[in-house]
Every structure is written in C-alpha cells, then in structure tokens.
C-alpha cells in the first residue's frame, strides 16, 4: 500500500516468513525521485534491476499492486521501466514524515513472485511557511514589567528538513524582541518578549510584523501581523488644557450666562479617561450661590446676581476627576474678574453740618462737610459735585478725595433771605451718567444789624383841641427787620430840653406799643402846633436805635362863640347907637356889624341875620358882610328911632352865636353933618399914622417879593422835576380849614377868600407850602387831587391897622407876620396855622 510506507508490527512475521521462503526469488528495489516531477517520468528500469528480460515481465504479467484508483507509479512491461503516473506532492504523500518513502509491491505470476520497490520522494522547496492567521492581536497591560513573554503561534511549512521553517524575524521596535524556542514535534516556536515598559498614554498600540523563513535557497517566507493593544491602567490624572484660567465678566450678567468653559484631558482610556468637573469641597458657599458648573462639559455659568460692589474678583477651585475604580483628580483655579457697570448712583453724605449760621459770617465760613461715594469704579465711580448757582454758597474740594466743604462765598443777609434750601447734585462720569441729589436747609441766624425803622418819617398828626387827658391820640410804629430780641422794640420820648421839645412834658408814650397819650387838654387858640421826637430802641446786644420827629397840629373845634367887635358900648355890651340923616336914599350904609370868632374855617365863618327889627321894609342886613343898609327913603311917618337886634353865628356843626343891638336914630340933616365932621377929624389923625406904616410895609414887601421870586426861580432850575409825593395825613380833622371871612370897619368892607381844606387834605413837600392837594369828594374809588397854587399877595389896611392877607400859605404872607410883629398885624385868614408854624420855626 502507498499509504503504509513502513510495515506494521502485526505483519512483521509474515513478511519475515515470506522473505525467508522467497529470499531467493524476491528482491527489493529502491529508487528516488524528486517531487513534483511531471507525469511519465522514468523512476527506474525494474526489469533490468530484477534481472529479467522484457519478455518475461510481459509473460508473467508483471504489475504494481496498489489499492488506489490512481496509483502513483506504473510499470511498462514493454520496456520494464517504472514510470510516474501522476504528479507527486511529497507534502500530500508524506505529510508528517521527514523522509518520504513510497513502497510499491510488484508481482510476477507463474510462479508468483513478489518484488518490493521503494521510491523515495525527495522534497523540494515548493511551499512557503504559513501562519495560522494573518493577524494576531495581543492585549498587554501597560503595567507589565519588562521581560514578560508571550508565545506566538508558529508558522507551518509542509516542506521538511531544511525546507521547513528555519527562523523567525520581528520588525524593528524598541519595546519588543523575539525569542525562538525549538520544540520537538512542533518545530520552532516564536516568543514575543516585552523589552521596555509600555505606556498606553504614549502609544496605545503597536503593529509588529513576524516573518517566518524556511531553509530554501533562496528561502521562502511569510508574514504575520501582530497588533499589540496596550491595555490602560488608571495611572494618569486629568490634566487641564491651560496652566491658568482667567476671564472677565460684566456685573449684573443674566443668569445662565456662560463665564468660561474649562477643559481637562486624561491620557487613560475608557472610564479611566472619562472626566467629571466639580467645584472643590472647600469652595465658599457664597460662590456656590453665584456660579454653577456643568459636570460633563466644564462650562461655568452664572447662577446668581453678580455685583461688582460686593466683590470685584472671584477665585474658583475646579476639580477634574476620572471615572476609574480609584479616581484620580486634578485641581485648577479659575480667576473671574468682574467688570464694573455703572449701576450705582453716587451717594451723598453730610458728615458735619451746622444747620444755622450767623448772617455776619465771613465768606469762606464752613457750613457742612459733604462726602460723596460711588460704589462703582473707574470713570463710573468718579463723582463731580455741584451746587445751585444762585445761592451765596459754594462747594470747595478738600484734601481728601470725594470730600467737599460747603462754604459761604458772599455775605449773607437774613433780612433778604432767612433760609436756603441747598440742593447738592452729584454726577458720575459713567455712561449712561447717573446722578443723585440731596437737599439740606441752612438757616441764617439773626444778628442785630438793623436799626428800628419807623413807618413814616416824619410823622404828622392832627388832633382836635379839647381832647380828654389820658386818651390815646395817635400811635407811632417802628419795625425792625431783625428777629426775636433783636427785633423787640421799645419806645421813649426824647426829652433833651430843647425848645422844640418843650411840650413833651404834656405827652407820654407806651414803651411797648408806641401809643402816645396826651396828659393835658390842648387848646387850639393857645397852641396850634408842636413837635417832639420819639426814639425806638431794639433789645439786641448792642442795641440799636433810631428816632423820628412827630409834628402835631391842633385842629380847631367850634368852642369859641363869635365876639362882637362893633358896636361895643362903654360898658362892654354889644350895643351901639347909629345916627343917620332922614334924607338918605335907599341903599345908604347905616353901619356895619363887625364880629370875630377865634375859631377857623367853618367854625370861624360868621353869618349875620336880623332877629328883631321895628320895620322890615326900612332896613336890610347883608348876610355875609354884616352891613346894614336902608331899603328905602325915610318918610315923615317913619319913627325917629329904630332898634335892630343882629344875630351873629358861626358855621360850626353846633353853631355858636352872639347878638348885637344897634339903635338907629333918624335925625335931621344938620345934626347928622355935625356928628360926621367930628368923627372924620378923629379918623384923619388915625389914618395918617396908618398911612406912614403902610408905606414902609409896601416897600419892604415889594423888595422881599422880588427876592423871593428870584430865589424860587433858582431853586426850580436846580431841582429835579421828578418828585415823590409823601402826603401828611389828617386822621383827626373833620370840617373846613379855609373859606371866606368878611370884615367891616366903618365905611370900608374887607373880604378874604381862601382855599378850602377838608379831611384828607395834604400839603405836598416840594411845593414850598404853596400847594394844597385836595380829594374830590365826588369820587369814592379814586382820589383826585387838585393843586391850588397861591401866588398872589394882596392886602388892605383898614382904619383899625389890620393887615388883611390873601393866600396865607404863601411864603410872603408867612414872612410878614414874623418881621412886622410891632405893627400888631392880624392875619385875617382861616389858614393862619401854617403862618404861625412858620414863625415858630
């Protein structure tokens, strides 16, 4: 059999026996051929080698006995050669034998003769080494130590002997080397040895090439790739991507704003390289309320309100940890710098404040210390302060930053303004600009720097004569623009003993109210005017005072009855006898009743009337002049004597009156002429003296008149035309100051027509006392003033040496009463109070 190259032990005995029996007739042949020879290749000549001829082989049917369907060899009986019948593959025939011998059994019949032929198939290098797999993967932990060995699967080569696998080669690398171990039956086995410590983080895998070489020339080879996967060991802690983290963040950033994203890497693999980001346990709780971190991504976000003024920088400790069985961690600080946003208004604080300062404080006096603060920084925290421009205060910067002094910049006057509401405005330099205001009240305290001031200066009062002693007659009032004690005013009269104040002993003043009381009853006929001074003193320290002159004019009351001047009998009674010729015609002046009333105005305006008369048709009386005239001629039947009762009454509210009795005797013409001559002689003597004095008076008055006109023109040219009228009030007067009065002396009649002054009339200063301003009684809503300019001076001299003056308010008339007192001049005018006052001055 071809498969049984070597005899089995069970057949050993028969083979031996056969060999002994047929030793002479059998023989054993041995041939050798190379494998892979082509079909028909001659192995050897069997006939020749057996010593038989070709004919014998053919006759005896020489053949190769084989159980295979397609035997490897055949014998050609025609030529005795042993041929290869098909291509022989040694590795197929002798797969596991180092020497490949194919035993053939050949048979000759008649007689049976068996010959054995061995054919040695010589191996040729027709196969390359092959590995069981093209790729071998090894998983080696990075923690293994150098010298660790890993047996690899060997390569197989069907060839034998020197053509089998003779050596292995490993691709060049520094971490592994190759060892080959010879193992009986398995040939050479390659072993991979770790030559240098592995680091998965440096190189996670290695690709090696293992080459197997046979002994052919040239050798054949094959390769096997070895992938060495370095298995990770958690030997690396996470490493952050930056050495330091610093970021800026605007304050008031919305919640959820990303601040920064930290990143860490772990060279390990798998869970050993998976990283979790955490805040360290030592982190302040306040930071945990403000910031949050994503555990997987490392993103830090805003969690709460970020306020620069609370903290301008945060340092957060971040921890990166892997997921290894024994986790490794790394810590890193993240510096978050907060950027200021102008979100704080400046704050104004008054650290020191004097709410009240004296009005005499000098400029530069410190009122308050102002501190301003802005919690922002940079320009957002730079603060500018300002104050209202229209106040006498200013802000002065202090040496210390953001501190100002509120000081006075100009003199203060409490009387103009006693309190200031100062608005201090603080603005920062941020964008948008923020500002705040603070108002403080500064009270100006009073100092006694104002003297009392009277409501009028001078005062002019009118009081009625006949006042009750002890009654208040008028009030002076002063005010002081200071306050409290500095404005508390007391009044007293100036009693310096001067002539002008000689009547102050008859008046008194209430020191608190300024109420002036008359201690006596004044009589117009005795005193028509007087003046005194009132002093007002405040209670300040030192006290200040001022005075005012009070002019008092006594107003006439109708307290004097008319006095009959003519006729007057020797015993003083108002009786007289007047003789007239019987032959007089109608209109003849019989006589004139002359009367005088010490009162003035209406109170001194006398009216005449006939109370009793014997014949109303014969005599008539002039109502205003007191002249008695005949109404017709006398007849023979008229009586020789007539009694006339004349009533003279004034024009007062309650009129007073007097009566005079005139006895008119009608005489024959001769008797009347004799009586008339006697009276004329007496009058001529008297008139000559009056004429002399009158000449002197006329010359002096004319000269003074010219001088006065020149002075008045000069004064008018030098004065401004802009006058301010201040009116002297007459609160206590009611009635007529001036009107007309008629006088009669003998045959001469005198009539004075003067201006009429009523209550409320005032004298306008600047008019030289010539102008009276009168209200129009026809209007109630508006006072219409009329000026009556009295520029004329007329006078007449009667036989009684009386000077009758028109225009008593004229300077000339006033002057005459002063320079000619020896003339016994009597100012026959209702307005003589002004003239008297002029003379007193």
């Amino acid at each position: 059999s071809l498969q049984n190259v070597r005899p089995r032990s069970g057949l050993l005995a028969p083979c031996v026996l056969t060999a002994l029996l047929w030793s002479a007739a059998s023989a054993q042949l041995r041939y050798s051929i190379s494998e892979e020879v082509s079909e028909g290749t001659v192995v050897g000549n069997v006939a020749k080698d057996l010593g038989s001829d070709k004919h014998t082989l053919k006759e005896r049917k020489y053949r190769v006995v084989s159980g295979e369907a397609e035997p490897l060899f055949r014998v050609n009986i025609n030529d005795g050669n042993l041929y290869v019948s098909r291509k022989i593959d040694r590795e197929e025939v002798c797969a596991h034998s180092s020497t490949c011998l194919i035993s053939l059994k050949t048979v000759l019949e008649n007689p049976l003769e068996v010959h054995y032929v061995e054919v040695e198939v010589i191996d040729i290098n027709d196969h390359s080494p092959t590995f069981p797999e093209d790729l071998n993967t090894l998983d080696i932990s990075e923690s293994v130590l150098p010298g660790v060995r890993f047996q690899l699967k060997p390569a197989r080569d069907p060839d034998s002997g020197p053509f089998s696998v003779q050596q292995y080669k490993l691709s060049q690398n520094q971490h592994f080397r190759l060892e080959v171990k010879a193992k009986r039956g398995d040939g050479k086995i390659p072993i991979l040895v770790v030559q240098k410590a592995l680091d998965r983080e440096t190189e996670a895998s290695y690709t090696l090439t293992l080459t197997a070489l046979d002994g052919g020339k040239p050798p054949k080879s094959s390769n096997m790739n070895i992938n060495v996967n370095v298995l990770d060991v958690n030997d690396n802690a996470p490493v952050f991507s930056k050495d330091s983290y610093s970021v800026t963040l605007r304050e008031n950033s919305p919640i959820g704003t990303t601040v920064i994203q930290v990143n860490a890497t772990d060279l390990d693999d798998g869970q050993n390289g998976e990283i979790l980001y955490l805040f360290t346990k030592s982190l302040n709780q306040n930071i945990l309320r403000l910031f949050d971190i994503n555990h997987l991504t490392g993103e830090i976000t805003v969690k709460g309100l970020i306020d620069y003024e609370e903290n301008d920088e945060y340092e957060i400790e971040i921890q990166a940890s892997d997921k290894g069985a024994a986790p490794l961690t790394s810590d890193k600080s993240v510096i978050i710098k907060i950027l200021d946003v102008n979100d704080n208004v400046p704050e104004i604080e008054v650290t020191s404040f004097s709410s009240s300062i004296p009005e005499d404080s000098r400029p530069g006096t410190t009122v308050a210390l102002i501190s301003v603060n802005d919690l922002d920084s940079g320009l957002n925290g730079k603060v500018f302060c300002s104050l209202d421009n229209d106040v006498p205060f200013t802000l002065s910067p202090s040496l210390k930053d953001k501190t100002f002094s509120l000081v006075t910049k100009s003199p203060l006057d409490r009387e103009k303004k006693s309190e200031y509401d100062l608005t201090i405005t603080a603005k920062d330099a941020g964008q948008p600009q923020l500002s705040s205001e603070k108002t403080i009240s500064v009270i100006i305290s009073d100092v006694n720097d104002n003297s009392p001031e009277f409501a009028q200066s001078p005062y002019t009062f009118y009081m009625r004569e006949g006042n009750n002693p002890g009654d208040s007659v008028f009030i002076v009032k002063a005010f002081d623009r200071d306050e409290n004690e500095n404005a508390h005013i007391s009044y007293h009269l100036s009693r310096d003993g001067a002539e002008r104040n000689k009547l102050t002993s008859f008046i008194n003043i209430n020191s608190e109210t300024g109420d002036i009381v008359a201690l006596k009853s004044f009589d117009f006929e005795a005193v028509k005017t007087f003046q005194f001074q009132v002093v007002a003193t405040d209670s300040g320290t030192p006290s200040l005072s001022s005075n005012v002159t009070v002019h008092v004019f006594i107003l006439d009351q109708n307290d004097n009855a008319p006095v009959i001047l003519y006729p007057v009998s020797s015993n003083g009674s108002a009786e007289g006898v007047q003789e007239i010729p019987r032959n007089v015609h109608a209109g003849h002046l019989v006589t004139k009743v002359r009367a005088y009333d010490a009162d003035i105005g209406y109170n001194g305006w006398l009216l005449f009337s006939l109370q009793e008369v014997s014949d109303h048709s014969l005599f008539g009386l002039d109502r205003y002049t007191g002249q008695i005239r005949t109404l017709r001629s006398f007849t023979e039947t008229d009586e020789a004597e007539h009694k006339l009762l004349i009533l003279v009454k004034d024009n007062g509210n309650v009129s007073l009156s007097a009566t005079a009795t005139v006895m008119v005797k009608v005489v024959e013409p001769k008797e009347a002429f004799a009586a008339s001559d006697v009276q004329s002689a007496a009058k001529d003597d008297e008139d000559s003296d009056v004429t002399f004095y009158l000449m002197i008076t006329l010359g002096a008055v004319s000269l003074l008149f010219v001088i006065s006109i020149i002075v008045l023109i000069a004064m008018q040219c030098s004065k401004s035309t802009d006058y301010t009228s201040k009116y002297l009030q007459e609160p206590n007067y009611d009635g007529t100051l001036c009107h007309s009065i008629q006088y009669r002396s003998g045959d001469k009649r005198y009539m004075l027509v003067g201006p009429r002054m009523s209550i409320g009339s005032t004298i306008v200063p600047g008019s030289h006392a010539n102008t009276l301003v009168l209200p129009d009684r026809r209007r109630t809503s508006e006072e219409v003033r009329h000026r009556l300019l009295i520029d004329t001076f007329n006078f007449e001299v009667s036989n009684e040496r009386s000077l009758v003056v028109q225009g008593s308010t004229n300077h000339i008339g006033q002057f005459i009463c002063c320079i000619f007192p020896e003339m016994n001049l009597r100012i026959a005018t209702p307005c003589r109070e002004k003239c008297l006052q002029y003379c007193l001055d």
Side-chain angles (χ1 to χ4, degrees), residues 454-461 475-478 548-552:
F454 285 93
Q456 298 179 25
S457 181
Y459 276 96
T460 299
F461 293 106
I475 296 176
V476 295
K477 200 66 179 178
V548 67
T549 299
V550 180
H551 296 282
V552 180

Side-chain angles (χ1 to χ4, degrees), residues 601-676:
Y602 280 114
N603 297 327
W605 184 12
L606 301 181
L607 297 177
F608 301 86
S609 62
L610 283 173
Q611 288 294 101
E612 296 180 9
V613 61
S614 57
D615 189 349
H616 289 283
S617 65
L618 185 59
F619 298 99
L621 176 64
D622 190 293
R623 176 180 177 83
Y624 300 104
T625 63
Q627 292 180 351
I628 301 174
R629 293 181 180 274
T630 59
L631 297 178
R632 59 180 175 83
S633 300
F634 288 95
T635 62
E636 294 296 331
T637 60
D638 291 330
E639 295 182 1
E641 185 173 336
H642 298 272
K643 180 180 180 180
L644 303 177
L645 182 61
I646 311 301
L647 176 66
V648 181
K649 67 176 181 179
D650 57 30
N651 203 34
N653 289 333
V654 179
S655 62
L656 301 178
S657 62
T659 59
T661 302
V662 177
M663 299 299 295
V664 179
K665 292 182 179 182
V666 181
V667 297
E668 296 301 325
K670 293 182 179 180
E671 297 177 2
F673 293 150
S676 176

Side-chain angles (χ1 to χ4, degrees), residues 545-731:
S545 63
S546 61
N547 56 54
V548 67
T549 299
V550 180
H551 296 282
V552 180
F553 293 95
I554 308 301
L555 299 179
D556 183 44
Q557 299 295 308
N558 194 22
D559 59 345
N560 290 281
V563 177
I564 304 298
L565 298 178
Y566 180 85
V568 177
S569 63
S570 58
N571 60 3
S573 62
E575 294 180 356
V577 177
Q578 185 68 35
E579 294 180 354
I580 60 173
R582 181 177 291 273
N583 60 352
V584 295
H585 299 286
H588 175 74
L589 177 62
V590 179
T591 188
K592 179 179 180 180
V593 178
R594 292 191 298 113
Y596 171 75
D597 196 320
D599 298 323
I600 63 172
Y602 280 114
N603 297 327
W605 184 12
L606 301 181
L607 297 177
F608 301 86
S609 62
L610 283 173
Q611 288 294 101
E612 296 180 9
V613 61
S614 57
D615 189 349
H616 289 283
S617 65
L618 185 59
F619 298 99
L621 176 64
D622 190 293
R623 176 180 177 83
Y624 300 104
T625 63
Q627 292 180 351
I628 301 174
R629 293 181 180 274
T630 59
L631 297 178
R632 59 180 175 83
S633 300
F634 288 95
T635 62
E636 294 296 331
T637 60
D638 291 330
E639 295 182 1
E641 185 173 336
H642 298 272
K643 180 180 180 180
L644 303 177
L645 182 61
I646 311 301
L647 176 66
V648 181
K649 67 176 181 179
D650 57 30
N651 203 34
N653 289 333
V654 179
S655 62
L656 301 178
S657 62
T659 59
T661 302
V662 177
M663 299 299 295
V664 179
K665 292 182 179 182
V666 181
V667 297
E668 296 301 325
K670 293 182 179 180
E671 297 177 2
F673 293 150
S676 176
D677 291 339
V678 174
Q679 292 179 359
S680 297
K683 288 183 179 179
D684 289 340
D685 294 336
E686 182 179 356
D687 290 343
S688 62
D689 293 334
V690 172
T691 303
F692 174 74
Y693 289 116
L694 180 60
M695 294 296 291
I696 296 176
T697 302
L698 285 174
V701 168
S702 299
L703 178 61
L704 290 175
F705 178 76
V706 172
I707 295 173
S708 299
I709 292 299
I710 295 173
V711 172
L712 287 174
I713 293 174
M715 291 178 65
Q716 289 294 334
C717 292
S718 63
K719 284 197 317 178
S720 171
T721 58
D722 184 15
Y723 298 111
T724 301
S725 296
K726 295 184 180 179
Y727 303 108
L728 303 178
Q729 298 179 358
E730 302 175 278

Side-chain angles (χ1 to χ4, degrees), residues 278-526:
L278 305 167
F279 289 135
T280 60
K281 294 181 180 179
S282 62
L283 199 62
N284 190 297
Q285 291 297 318
N286 185 40
I287 296 180
L288 294 178
R289 290 195 296 268
L290 299 178
F291 300 98
D292 198 4
I293 189 169
N294 188 307
H295 300 303
L296 298 179
T297 64
E299 183 182 32
I300 299 175
T301 56
V302 176
K303 181 181 179 182
L305 178 62
I306 306 299
D307 190 358
Y308 171 87
E309 290 68 40
E310 182 177 338
N311 199 343
D312 62 351
E313 183 177 289
Y314 294 93
E315 183 175 0
I316 303 177
E317 290 289 334
I318 306 297
Q319 184 180 83
S321 173
D322 59 30
K323 295 182 180 180
L328 299 179
T329 61
S330 294
D331 296 339
K332 184 65 65 176
S333 293
V334 176
I335 305 299
I336 302 177
K337 296 181 180 179
I338 307 302
L339 296 179
D340 184 41
V341 174
N342 195 22
D343 61 341
N344 289 277
V345 297
E347 297 177 357
I348 304 174
E349 180 183 2
V350 181
T351 57
S352 178
F353 175 51
S354 298
S355 60
S356 177
I357 60 171
E359 62 177 318
D360 60 349
S361 299
R362 293 182 177 180
T365 302
T366 300
V367 179
L369 294 179
I370 310 297
S371 297
V372 293
N373 185 37
D374 195 317
L375 297 177
D376 298 320
S377 63
L379 290 178
N380 295 333
K382 187 173 182 63
V383 181
F384 303 93
C385 278
S386 62
L387 195 65
D388 297 337
N389 293 328
D390 57 346
V391 294
F393 298 89
T394 187
L395 288 174
S396 175
S398 300
L399 295 177
K400 187 178 179 182
D401 188 28
K402 296 184 179 180
T403 302
F404 300 86
S405 298
L406 178 63
V407 298
T408 58
K409 70 176 181 181
S410 59
L412 304 175
D413 190 353
R414 189 205 65 82
E415 287 69 41
K416 291 183 178 179
K417 192 167 185 179
S418 61
E419 183 176 358
Y420 291 90
D421 291 328
L422 304 179
T423 300
I424 301 171
T425 303
K427 297 181 180 179
D428 59 28
Q431 292 295 333
Q433 189 177 62
L434 299 179
S435 63
S436 63
E437 293 182 348
K438 189 176 185 68
T439 301
I440 60 175
S441 295
V442 179
I443 297 175
I444 310 302
S445 62
D446 185 49
V447 296
N448 194 25
D449 58 346
N450 289 278
S451 300
E453 298 178 16
F454 285 93
Q456 298 179 25
S457 181
Y459 276 96
T460 299
F461 293 106
Y462 297 91
M463 60 178 294
R464 299 178 185 275
E465 65 174 331
N467 59 288
N468 294 324
D471 288 350
S472 174
V473 290
F474 40 77
I475 296 176
V476 295
K477 200 66 179 178
F479 65 95
D480 196 316
R481 286 187 285 181
D482 297 321
E483 65 177 358
N484 300 329
E485 291 299 319
N486 296 331
H488 186 267
I489 298 175
S490 61
Y491 303 90
H492 68 275
L493 298 177
S494 176
R495 305 181 190 272
D496 55 4
E499 181 66 21
R500 61 185 178 183
N501 295 328
K502 62 183 179 179
L503 294 180
T504 55
S505 58
F506 300 110
I507 58 175
N508 198 7
I509 188 170
N510 188 311
S511 62
E512 295 295 327
T513 63
D515 192 5
I516 297 176
V517 177
L519 302 180
K520 62 169 286 186
S521 178
F522 289 93
D523 185 6
F524 173 81
E525 287 69 34

